[in-house]
Amino acid sequence: MSTPSHPTAITFVEVGPRDGLQNEKRLISAADKLTLVQLAIGAGARRIEVTSFVNPQKVPQMADAEAVCAGLPQRDDVTYIGLVMNLRGAERALATGRIDQLGAVCVATDRFAMANQGQTSDESVAAAKAIIALAREHGRTAQATIAASFGCPFEGEVAEDRVVAMAASLAEEGPVEVALADTIGVGNPAHVARLVERVRGAIGPLPVRVHFHNTRGTGLANVWAAVAAGATVVDGALGGLGGCPFAPGAAGNVASEDVVYMLERAGIATGMDLKRMIEASHWLANVMDRKLPGMVAQAPVFPKAAEE
């Protein structure tokens, strides 16, 4: 493995409106979801996963996908991402006229793929490639995420060779990037660095994106390891909310404000305004009526602005 080097900047993707909220039992109004999107934009987010087009009976929190899309601010400088599992969902997303980028998902193991989207792992790769092709036909872009890249809730360890092969296959269809998702938060920094580097070698020059959950407290360490290994796109959810309805024990995403604090303090630009992110996290805590997992929003401001 080559010596880690750190970039001067990464691209940040806010996934709170979708992945942050999808597993919440209390239904959040479309109006509050749209406020969350607006706050994310105000804090600097230029790529936002706004909703998912999935079966509303299985994921009730996302039943208002079309209503959320209808209320999205008109912004030429913001890419709105809609997560889709199949062509039917992709067609719904495209029909709104407001989704700029489709987020296709495939799964590294058969048992989780069946639980998550009712198909085998190989079938999920084929479905993701079909979604990427459909987006291109409609003048849109698409990204591809490999769920359970670092471990499966049903099958346990996932072979790195399997993930690398999936990434190479997805890259053939021309997504804007391939994402490695630690769906259940079992990754460790050594594994993350190794897999990111291997996938980079397999799909270059396409970027590697990373999506971490903090289930076991390793989320930020994994972000750092991934960026050092060459990942250039990082997901986060305001407040550290999140979880997967189909992955037992999955806890929240890495908190956006925690990721941005760590990277910016290390001299890696994110394009985000930490002060406004903290304000947004406080607003979201009030909406959820509870303390959120993110740490930076609970801590004193550092460094404090110089007194005038």
Side-chain angles (χ1 to χ4, degrees):
M1 187 180 295
S2 61
T3 303
S5 60
H6 299 95
T8 57
I10 58 97
T11 298
F12 183 76
V13 181
E14 175 58 50
V15 301
R18 196 282 299 180
D19 198 14
L21 297 179
Q22 71 173 2
N23 210 33
E24 292 292 323
K25 303 303 181 209
R26 174 184 166 191
L27 293 180
I28 307 303
S29 70
D32 280 339
K33 291 173 184 175
L34 287 165
T35 298
L36 179 57
V37 169
Q38 291 170 329
L39 289 171
I41 293 171
R46 293 298 177 263
R47 291 183 67 191
I48 306 174
E49 193 176 70
V50 293
T51 191
S52 63
F53 295 84
V54 293
N55 187 333
Q57 294 182 332
K58 294 183 177 180
V59 189
Q61 191 70 251
M62 298 290 111
D64 58 359
E66 279 82 2
V68 168
C69 287
L72 289 171
Q74 295 279 356
R75 299 280 302 232
D76 292 336
D77 60 340
V78 176
T79 297
Y80 295 127
I81 304 165
L83 184 109
V84 299
M85 296 289 187
N86 50 40
L87 288 176
R88 186 184 322 136
E91 289 164 354
R92 282 179 59 198
L94 292 168
T96 69
R98 301 307 315 282
I99 293 297
D100 304 302
Q101 190 170 90
L102 299 182
V105 179
C106 55
V107 183
T109 63
D110 286 333
R111 286 186 62 189
F112 188 26
M114 289 301 298
N116 197 57
Q117 51 216 76
Q119 54 193 185
T120 67
S121 177
D122 284 345
E123 288 169 346
S124 75
V125 173
K129 294 175 77 168
I131 289 165
I132 296 165
L134 183 67
R136 185 167 54 248
E137 290 171 12
H138 284 78
R140 299 288 189 270
T141 59
Q143 55 179 247
T145 296
I146 304 175
S149 288
F150 301 93
C152 171
F154 306 110
E155 298 185 26
E157 302 287 1
V158 174
E160 291 180 22
D161 287 350
R162 172 61 182 160
V163 177
V164 173
M166 291 174 69
S169 180
L170 292 165
E172 293 171 353
E173 199 59 53
V176 296
E177 69 214 358
V178 174
L180 304 177
D182 188 10
T183 310
I184 57 172
V186 293
N188 67 78
H191 185 185
V192 167
R194 191 169 58 243
L195 188 56
V196 167
E197 187 161 328
R198 289 192 63 190
V199 170
R200 276 184 64 211
I203 72 170
L206 281 182
V208 176
R209 176 169 143 243
V210 288
H211 178 102
F212 293 113
H213 287 246
N214 199 40
T215 315
R216 292 164 179 83
T218 57
L220 284 177
N222 289 340
V223 170
W224 184 255
V227 170
T232 55
V233 188
V234 179
D235 288 0
L238 275 165
L241 285 177
C244 176
F246 310 107
N253 295 273
V254 287
S256 299
E257 59 271 28
D258 294 2
V259 170
V260 167
Y261 173 83
M262 177 182 71
L263 295 179
E264 292 279 354
R265 289 282 295 167
I268 301 171
T270 64
M272 300 297 291
D273 182 327
L274 183 60
K275 181 176 182 291
R276 296 186 73 171
M277 295 179 79
I278 291 171
E279 292 170 352
S281 184
H282 290 162
W283 172 86
L284 185 57
N286 287 331
V287 170
M288 306 309 296
D289 195 25
R290 71 175 192 271
K291 182 179 177 180
L292 302 184
M295 299 299 294
V296 167
Q298 301 176 39
V301 173
F302 183 86
K304 291 185 177 179
E307 294 183 3
E308 297 181 358

